[in-house]
Amino acid sequence: MGETSLTKKDIEKLAFDAGFDAMRVTTPSGLEENAEYFSKFIANSYHGEMKWIEQKADRRKSPLTLWPEVKSIIMLGMNYGPDYDPIKFLNHKNSGNISSYARGKDYHDVVKKRLKQIARKIHQDTSEQVKVFVDTAPVMEKPLAQKSGIGWQGKHTNLVSRQFGSWLFLGSIFTTHDLDPDPSEINHCGSCSACIDVCPTNAFPAPYKLDARRCISYLTIEYKGHIAAEFREAMGNRIYGCDDCLSVCPWNKYAKLTKEMHYHPRIELEHPRLDDLANLDDTAFRQVFSGSPIKRIGRDFFVRNVIIAIGNSENSSYIPLLISKLSEASPHVRAMAIWSLKKLSSPTDFNDLKNMHAKDENDASVLTEWQ
């Protein structure tokens, strides 16, 4: 073992110098109640098609399963508070509404780089072992953040902070360095149910419970299939994620604009035109969303989302564009083009289109949309 002169205060300074806005320390034990909740989440199939959650469920239940030698977990939060109310963007029916977290640079890249910077210094100064995690490993970040005192899990299951509202990215440093833990945070939601009430798809079967299969963020980002008809109108112009339950939290009155330039919205993603987005081919899609988390969902599923937004636009000038999408290679795009044409066309015009195009269709799901 090396010198252990690096104090918690020293690590906090490293964290703030690296651009983090919150740092607390907790221990790897004591998450049994959260593990039980997680087991019920899986048992109810609330995770939908996110099989990676199910496959690593046992490792996720305890940090000690992930790394038995860990003694302390340093939880870090980075503020990405926007300077606008995301709810207001829902009124721009000819623009695609992208979740606030995805309008700038991919936070995974930003946070992980800064975590490694701090972890490297801890290892150099103490010779203790370190591991860093950002959202991609089986770590229960939100319960650990609450246990460390950074915030608490609200009724929408997301983390809420008294300092930053709903707008914190989380990262963690696991270490064999023994640090004094901070007191946990208590729940400050009270009788408020704003986040539950605002959800356009009723994705919360009860407070503190999320059915991801009904969540617009899941449907537009994780779900690789035909989005069920019952959710399409509720999606409005949301083409990547949904901020509704985050936006209405009263604790956002204490939120602050992010200082991190990487999280400021790229100008072209503030009010992107639906027709421009729908016309992106695969190469253009990769170029436009280079360095963005949006790139990971792939062009076809992104355009699927855009076509649904076009169907919700009430703008019949999109009809020629939608007709052109009937010859797309992706059945997910073709199917939503049909749904949107039905929404924007007269019954007579839609029937004419059906007579013209349905006979050439051989995908069962797409044919169902014609019928």
Side-chain angles (χ1 to χ4, degrees):
M1 303 291 283
E3 295 293 325
T4 55
S5 58
L6 198 68
T7 66
K8 191 162 75 172
K9 201 71 182 168
D10 295 330
I11 297 171
E12 184 179 61
K13 185 177 186 308
L14 287 173
F16 291 162
D17 287 349
F20 288 98
D21 300 282
M23 190 221 87
R24 298 286 190 278
V25 175
T26 190
T27 58
S29 58
L31 293 176
E32 292 79 14
E33 189 177 333
N34 300 100
E36 185 180 347
Y37 165 83
F38 184 65
S39 295
K40 290 177 181 176
F41 177 79
I42 298 292
N44 287 327
S45 298
Y46 285 166
H47 60 304
E49 292 190 357
M50 295 184 285
K51 299 301 181 189
W52 45 270
I53 291 180
E54 189 176 341
Q55 290 161 358
K56 296 181 179 179
D58 289 337
R59 294 175 68 192
R60 192 178 293 271
K61 288 177 184 177
S62 170
L64 292 166
T65 308
L66 193 63
W67 190 25
E69 290 77 27
V70 61
K71 290 181 182 175
S72 301
I73 298 175
I74 303 164
M75 292 302 302
L76 298 115
M78 192 176 279
N79 173 38
Y80 71 101
D83 63 352
Y84 56 88
D85 179 0
I87 292 280
K88 292 180 178 176
F89 278 77
L90 300 176
N91 298 323
H92 300 275
K93 293 188 174 183
N94 294 301
S95 301
N97 193 359
I98 294 170
S99 184
S100 298
Y101 88 88
R103 294 186 182 195
K105 188 175 173 64
D106 192 338
Y107 76 92
H108 296 89
D109 299 334
V110 179
V111 173
K112 194 162 195 174
K113 183 178 179 181
R114 312 287 175 83
L115 288 176
K116 286 182 175 179
Q117 181 182 324
I118 300 164
R120 193 178 301 117
K121 180 67 174 170
I122 294 171
H123 177 64
Q124 286 173 351
D125 285 16
T126 67
S127 296
E128 298 288 356
Q129 296 303 304
V130 289
K131 293 179 187 286
V132 303
F133 299 103
V134 192
D135 194 24
T136 50
V139 175
M140 290 198 287
E141 289 106 340
K142 289 178 284 189
L144 284 168
Q146 179 161 348
K147 191 166 170 278
S148 75
I150 284 182
W152 70 96
Q153 277 192 271
K155 292 179 182 177
H156 52 13
T157 75
N158 293 298
L159 195 79
V160 185
S161 158
R162 286 191 289 178
Q163 284 182 285
F164 301 101
S166 296
W167 315 109
L168 278 180
F169 291 133
L170 295 174
S172 58
I173 300 173
F174 285 32
T175 179
T176 55
H177 189 20
D178 205 352
L179 297 164
D180 290 334
D182 290 294
S184 63
E185 177 64 284
I186 62 171
N187 189 305
H188 296 281
C189 287
S191 61
C192 178
S193 61
C195 58
I196 307 292
D197 300 337
V198 78
C199 181
T201 53
N202 298 312
F204 301 103
Y208 309 106
K209 291 183 180 178
L210 169 69
D211 184 348
R213 297 169 299 181
R214 301 187 64 85
C215 173
I216 290 176
S217 284
Y218 165 79
L219 292 168
T220 55
I221 299 172
E222 302 290 349
Y223 183 59
K224 304 297 189 284
H226 294 282
I227 294 174
E230 67 173 303
F231 302 127
R232 295 172 195 168
E233 285 191 9
M235 285 170 59
N237 68 340
R238 302 172 188 84
I239 59 172
Y240 186 92
C242 176
D243 288 331
D244 291 20
C245 64
L246 301 177
S247 301
V248 298
C249 180
W251 284 96
N252 286 340
K253 65 186 174 186
Y254 299 112
K256 304 167 180 66
L257 173 64
T258 180
K259 302 190 299 286
E260 179 53 61
M261 292 302 295
H262 287 309
Y263 301 147
H264 288 192
R266 288 163 49 184
I267 189 71
E268 68 271 24
L269 298 186
E270 289 196 70
H271 291 285
R273 288 168 48 121
L274 291 174
D275 51 354
D276 289 342
L277 297 174
N279 283 318
L280 293 173
D281 61 17
D282 192 60
T283 301
F285 171 79
R286 290 172 180 275
Q287 288 173 344
V288 170
F289 296 109
S290 175
S292 162
I294 296 172
K295 191 170 85 168
R296 285 200 298 274
I297 70 171
R299 179 263 179 193
D300 289 348
F301 291 108
F302 180 75
V303 172
R304 170 202 65 182
N305 301 341
V306 173
I307 297 298
I308 292 173
I310 285 175
N312 291 324
S313 70
E314 303 175 6
N315 185 348
S316 59
S317 70
Y318 288 123
I319 288 174
L321 185 154
L322 293 172
I323 292 172
S324 75
K325 294 299 170 186
L326 296 175
S327 57
E328 279 265 344
S330 168
H332 300 95
V333 175
R334 296 200 305 277
M336 293 306 94
I338 296 164
W339 179 80
S340 293
L341 281 166
K342 191 169 187 178
K343 291 258 297 179
L344 300 180
S345 306
S346 69
T348 302
D349 288 346
F350 181 78
N351 200 51
D352 289 344
L353 287 167
K354 176 182 174 180
N355 291 334
M356 193 181 308
H357 295 277
K359 64 182 184 296
D360 299 321
E361 182 57 65
N362 54 20
D363 184 282
S365 296
V366 180
L367 282 170
T368 299
E369 297 295 333
W370 278 123
Q371 291 152 18

